[in-house]
Amino acid sequence: MKRPIIGIIGNEYVIENRYPMHAGGTLNSSAVADVAGCMPLIVPSDPRFVSVPELLEACDGFLLTGGRPNVHPQEYGEEATEAHGKFDRARDAITLPLVRACLERGQPFLGICRGFQEVNVALGGSLHPEIRDLPGRDNHRMPPEGTMAEQFALRHKVRFAPGGVFHRLMGAEEVMTNTLHGQGVVRPGHGVVIDGHAPDGTPEALYIDGAPGFTLSVQWHPEWNAANDPVSRPLFSAFGDAVRAWAEGRRTPVLKTA
């Protein structure tokens, strides 16, 4: 049976300071193939090569991945500063309209880390460039040293709204997650429901109120150990179910988001 296709938003890299490329992490492909049960397809996220209408027809769902470059603050009405870090304007030009188009069509997407932030910005929300600088907030960035397992280790709890979408999906009000991000949501966008928070109040899980399709997005990185982690597996499984439903033409969400 033909597997549905999930477009994995790629990031731009330069190899050996001279060779530009688009790539996606193997962890993302593994989570899509092994847990969601779909075919991963890495998208060169640059409007020179692809358009949003083409992507909507080529793919059944989208994984909005993490990445080192941040969404440009001009997208939410602010000026860039050194604290905002590096940017990828080509990716902005693809992902932000892609999110809005998917919402209109009911086409499924799952946002991770930067992808979580892209969903918020696409709907008019804003970000803080460095949440560890805010009073009472913790440092959510990746540890600078250590093995991959140490850097992606579970580091803090996330508490979901009682009876909410994530609570029902996970079967628990509170879970443990990793954390590898510097920026965070300040003002939620139109229809964005923050359904989970870290202990310091940082938004960690969201969905779009009233959306006809799968819109769950998380600030952590569930692609790590996705096949075995009790938080990651149900998230990718539900995403895969929603993508299959779309591919089969049912156009109905497997998990209601309102």
Side-chain angles (χ1 to χ4, degrees):
M1 183 180 295
K2 180 181 177 182
R3 290 181 295 171
I5 296 172
I6 291 179
I8 297 178
I9 297 300
N11 286 297
E12 187 176 37
Y13 298 94
V14 179
I15 295 179
E16 297 179 349
N17 295 316
R18 60 176 178 165
Y19 188 81
M21 64 177 293
H22 283 102
T26 303
L27 293 174
N28 292 314
S29 296
S30 177
V32 165
D34 300 335
V35 185
C38 298
M39 189 179 86
L41 183 67
I42 297 174
V43 173
S45 50
D46 188 321
R48 294 178 298 170
F49 312 125
V50 297
S51 70
V52 169
E54 288 174 319
L55 291 174
L56 293 169
E57 292 304 315
C59 302
D60 300 300
F62 297 92
L63 182 63
L64 308 172
T65 62
R68 287 195 177 277
N70 295 308
V71 179
H72 200 287
Q74 286 183 352
E75 298 291 347
Y76 46 93
E78 298 181 13
E79 294 298 320
T81 68
E82 186 174 340
H84 286 93
K86 295 182 179 180
F87 307 114
D88 184 346
R89 295 301 270 148
R91 173 166 168 161
D92 293 346
I94 290 294
T95 54
L96 301 183
L98 179 63
V99 167
R100 293 187 285 266
C102 283
L103 284 173
E104 184 177 348
R105 290 161 59 96
Q107 199 157 347
F109 62 79
L110 169 62
I112 292 176
C113 199
R114 174 187 160 120
F116 172 89
Q117 296 165 8
E118 285 172 329
V119 172
N120 187 57
V121 172
L123 297 179
S126 66
L127 307 173
H128 193 279
E130 191 64 77
I131 58 173
R132 64 182 173 181
D133 292 341
L134 296 173
R137 296 293 186 92
D138 298 326
N139 182 3
H140 289 253
R141 284 191 173 275
M142 175 192 289
E145 298 179 353
T147 64
M148 286 277 288
E150 290 169 336
Q151 291 178 317
F152 281 84
L154 306 181
R155 287 174 53 200
H156 68 60
K157 296 177 181 178
V158 172
R159 177 170 287 277
F160 304 126
V165 172
F166 280 88
H167 179 192
R168 299 198 309 271
L169 176 62
M170 302 297 176
E173 274 190 48
E174 192 173 85
V175 299
M176 286 293 295
T177 72
N178 54 38
T179 182
L180 300 93
H181 64 102
Q183 297 198 328
V185 169
V186 177
R187 182 184 70 252
H190 178 71
V192 172
V193 177
I194 303 299
D195 202 42
H197 294 83
D200 66 352
T202 298
E204 294 279 345
L206 67 78
Y207 66 90
I208 311 305
D209 186 34
F214 187 100
T215 63
L216 273 58
S217 301
V218 298
Q219 183 63 85
W220 69 89
H221 282 262
E223 72 272 24
W224 174 259
N225 195 29
N228 302 306
D229 183 77
V231 176
S232 301
R233 188 170 189 89
L235 182 60
F236 275 102
S237 293
F239 179 45
D241 289 343
V243 174
R244 271 183 292 279
W246 173 269
E248 291 169 7
R250 286 183 274 156
R251 307 299 201 266
T252 55
V254 173
L255 183 71
K256 292 184 178 180
T257 59

